[in-house]
Amino acid sequence: MQFVRFAVVGFVLLTVIYVLISIYSRSVRRERLEDDWAELDEEARAGQSRDDFVDAGMAAYQSGFRRKLILLVYVIPTIAVATLIYVIN
């Protein structure tokens, strides 16, 4: 019973960490896209609004590899705990 409680609490903590890292990563990406748009020359800016540029970049981020790497927040601690339990027992 203790293991189930440990697993549930651990999953909740990992979920909170995942959400916080995900929000932070999206924020950093959005800031970078806004900076990239500001550095464009006038011709490139005229063809696309800032919001469209940022939305297109965020859509690319959603399907990108970096977003999937954040899921390692679940995998690495789970493997570490399982290995620790196996070694101790």
Side-chain angles (χ1 to χ4, degrees):
M1 195 63 182
Q2 292 289 347
F3 179 74
V4 172
R5 184 171 45 174
F6 173 72
V8 169
V9 169
F11 179 74
V12 169
L13 288 174
L14 290 176
T15 301
V16 169
I17 292 170
Y18 172 78
V19 168
L20 291 174
I21 290 173
S22 182
I23 290 170
Y24 176 74
S25 179
R26 286 181 54 83
S27 171
V28 168
R29 181 64 180 159
R30 180 174 290 278
E31 286 290 326
R32 187 175 304 149
L33 287 168
E34 289 171 353
D35 292 343
D36 288 347
W37 187 83
E39 292 175 1
L40 291 176
D41 58 353
E42 292 299 322
E43 289 181 20
R45 281 193 209 178
Q48 193 173 18
S49 73
R50 177 177 166 228
D51 292 334
D52 291 339
F53 181 81
V54 171
D55 289 342
M58 291 306 290
Y61 171 79
Q62 285 297 98
S63 62
F65 185 65
R66 181 174 295 217
R67 183 171 168 256
K68 292 175 181 79
L69 278 177
I70 297 174
L71 288 173
L72 289 176
V73 166
Y74 289 109
V75 175
I76 292 173
T78 303
I79 290 173
V81 169
T83 304
L84 185 65
I85 290 172
Y86 177 76
V87 169
I88 289 175
N89 288 331

